[in-house]
Amino acid sequence: MSADRKSIPVSIPDGLVEELDKLVAEGKFGSRSDALRYGARLVARESRLKRLHEETAHRAKQDVEDRLERKRVR
């Protein structure tokens, strides 16, 4: 294992193991680990995108509120 990776134990249901094995057998992934890493990257990416969306929406809402407040003050 390379220095930039960390091994973590994981337990998953038998049915999911079978699905992973099918994906490996079909050549979609080189191993179960490859498939799980791909899935983890997807989850992490979705989480980052959700946070980015929430932060952007919050900033946009704050910008609108600030502009409305400046109009009221004039």
Side-chain angles (χ1 to χ4, degrees), residues 2-64:
S2 66
D4 66 331
R5 293 189 182 187
K6 184 178 277 191
S7 179
I8 58 169
V10 62
S11 296
I12 56 177
D14 290 339
L16 187 51
V17 172
E18 291 170 11
E19 289 297 321
L20 291 174
D21 289 343
K22 286 179 190 176
L23 292 169
V24 171
E26 293 168 357
K28 296 199 175 19
F29 295 98
S31 66
R32 289 175 179 168
S33 291
D34 287 344
L36 291 171
R37 277 191 292 275
Y38 180 81
R41 284 191 298 272
L42 287 177
V43 169
R45 184 181 74 190
E46 287 299 314
S47 179
R48 281 191 307 271
L49 289 174
K50 182 180 179 193
R51 280 193 308 272
L52 178 61
H53 176 74
E54 289 170 351
E55 290 168 8
T56 301
H58 175 73
R59 283 191 299 247
K61 181 181 177 198
Q62 191 64 47
D63 185 51
V64 168

